[in-house]
Amino acid sequence: MKVLKSMLLGLSATALLFSACEKKEQAPQLTVSGLDVAKFDTTIQGKPVQLFTLKNANGMEVCITNYGGRIVSLVVPDKDGKPTDVVLGFDNIAQYADTLNSPSDYGSSVGRYANRIKEGKFTLGDNEYQLKKNDGPNCLHGGGNTGWMHQVYDAEQIGDSILKLTIVAADGENGFPGKVMAVTTYKVTADNTLDMTWEAESDRPTIINQTNHNYYNLSGDFTQPGYDQVLYVNADKFTPSDKLYIPTGEIKSVEGTPMDFRTPHAIGDSIQSDFDQIQNATGYDHNFCLNTYKDGKGDDTQVCASLYSPKTGIFMEMYTNEPGVQVYSGNFQGVGADADIIRKHGIKYPKHVSVCLESQKYPDSPNHPEWVQPTLNPDEKYYSHATYKFSIK
């Protein structure tokens, strides 16, 4: 009887041990930013989708889904060493993929053409092309819901710090000519830099203009407008736009206007200005002509823009080889139906909660031959580069 009791006790202990192990195995696998990896594991368009995590030894973590090449979270230490997520987004793939109820371009790798093309039309050689109109009469971000931000990329992670995402776009997709193979590469470096490159080839003459669409709030507090974020843009000039955000064709000086960020200042200092460009956009949604681009070449070793949060001490410096940067202050966040959408950590975003700094060719540049052109021919390779370096100030 004693032997039987011992056996039963042993079996009970073993069962408890297995139960504890089972519960432990079932516990969510969380990233430093608090994302549940399982909520991104699915199939879309018949292709596997998952969350990839890049990191370094100095507390930086970047989580990316191959659905739209989207950066879901970007964590860096603040002045007290606290891990701080500084980009907007959702905490599950379902909301990213729901283009009806929660449309967004959060963190996406935008293609084929970032920003707007007037009336969705452009001429290349002897041919005129009509693109999909998804922003009133215009084409925005390559077609929006049917652009690359809502396509599944093939993914290859290389070690802890590099992710390569590849997409093959058909000739005629959203009206764009040429079959294009494009590769977006994300790299997290030891000095807390997010390095991004976009490369592409086409079998026909086409246009391409890629960017990343992170929405930054370096305070890590997404419940409040980001008015205290201090912005610097290394640009003497900008391209004014009409009420539909299409460039007028002019290039104007920032001197004496709220567009002047050559001396860093808080975004909130000028975002309520009665300046017509601010009023048209209800904030900033403008292309700045970077001083770092000269004689047909961009210098990606020079700072083209920076952002700073006095709350956290987090300082971000931007570098690019592109001629322009779009500064967008989240003017549609928290407006209308958007105000009720719940994002990461159960938060509803207010208007102007963040700012985007998007490297680019100028908006509508195919229709302005005097500007840097986005043309890609079959014997050429497209290359665009942008880095965002984080430190404490």
Side-chain angles (χ1 to χ4, degrees), residues 50-65:
Q50 65 184 93
L51 192 69
F52 298 86
T53 301
L54 306 182
K55 58 187 177 180
N56 64 15
N58 294 314
M60 185 173 186
E61 178 198 75
V62 180
C63 294
I64 304 163
T65 172

Side-chain angles (χ1 to χ4, degrees), residues 273-345:
S273 166
D274 59 3
F275 186 60
D276 65 337
Q277 290 293 301
I278 299 293
Q279 288 294 308
N280 285 349
T282 67
Y284 290 97
D285 193 359
H286 297 87
N287 171 70
F288 287 77
C289 308
L290 295 173
N291 294 334
T292 52
Y293 194 93
K294 296 178 181 178
D295 303 320
K297 186 177 181 181
D299 186 352
D300 56 8
T301 68
Q302 299 296 315
V303 176
C304 69
S306 69
L307 196 65
Y308 168 66
S309 169
K311 290 180 181 177
T312 59
I314 296 173
F315 181 51
M316 181 181 80
E317 296 169 292
M318 178 184 177
Y319 306 77
T320 185
N321 67 331
E322 293 292 355
V325 61
Q326 187 83 6
V327 175
Y328 173 57
S329 55
N331 308 326
F332 296 107
Q333 297 291 326
V335 176
D338 188 271
D340 296 323
I341 299 175
I342 297 174
R343 275 82 172 196
K344 280 189 295 188
H345 313 302

Side-chain angles (χ1 to χ4, degrees), residues 29-61:
Q29 181 186 346
L30 300 181
T31 65
V32 173
S33 59
L35 297 172
D36 182 349
V37 174
K39 291 183 178 181
F40 290 84
D41 191 358
T42 189
T43 299
I44 298 176
Q45 300 158 6
K47 301 178 74 172
V49 171
Q50 65 184 93
L51 192 69
F52 298 86
T53 301
L54 306 182
K55 58 187 177 180
N56 64 15
N58 294 314
M60 185 173 186
E61 178 198 75

Side-chain angles (χ1 to χ4, degrees), residues 143-258:
N145 293 346
T146 53
W148 293 0
M149 70 174 74
H150 288 286
Q151 302 298 316
V152 179
Y153 289 68
D154 294 325
E156 177 191 7
Q157 183 161 351
I158 304 169
D160 287 338
S161 61
I162 299 174
L163 178 68
K164 286 184 176 289
L165 298 181
T166 302
I167 190 170
V168 178
D171 180 25
E173 172 202 63
N174 286 341
F176 289 95
K179 179 182 179 181
V180 170
M181 184 180 78
V183 179
T184 302
T185 303
Y186 306 85
K187 182 189 298 183
V188 169
T189 65
D191 64 350
N192 282 4
T193 294
L194 173 61
D195 185 297
M196 290 178 281
T197 59
W198 296 269
E199 300 170 279
E201 296 181 53
S202 176
D203 64 354
R204 289 180 59 193
T206 191
I207 59 172
I208 190 164
N209 180 33
Q210 288 199 258
T211 195
N212 170 261
H213 215 303
N214 271 342
Y215 289 68
Y216 293 98
N217 186 324
L218 302 187
S219 76
D221 181 1
F222 304 152
T223 66
Q224 302 296 321
Y227 292 147
D228 66 341
Q229 294 194 97
V230 177
L231 177 64
Y232 163 74
V233 183
N234 187 1
D236 294 332
K237 298 177 180 180
F238 76 105
T239 54
S241 55
D242 62 22
K243 292 183 178 181
L244 294 178
Y245 314 104
I246 296 293
T248 62
E250 304 167 280
I251 292 181
K252 288 189 174 182
S253 172
V254 300
E255 183 75 33
T257 77

Side-chain angles (χ1 to χ4, degrees), residues 6 17 37 40 43 68 91 99 108 123 132 138 163 166 202 211 228 244 247 261-262 276 283 285 323 356 360:
S6 296
L17 180 62
V37 174
F40 290 84
T43 299
D91 62 8
T99 58
S108 59
T123 300
K132 176 185 175 183
N138 305 312
L163 178 68
T166 302
S202 176
T211 195
D228 66 341
L244 294 178
F261 285 94
R262 293 173 297 181
D276 65 337
D285 193 359
C356 303
Q360 62 179 8

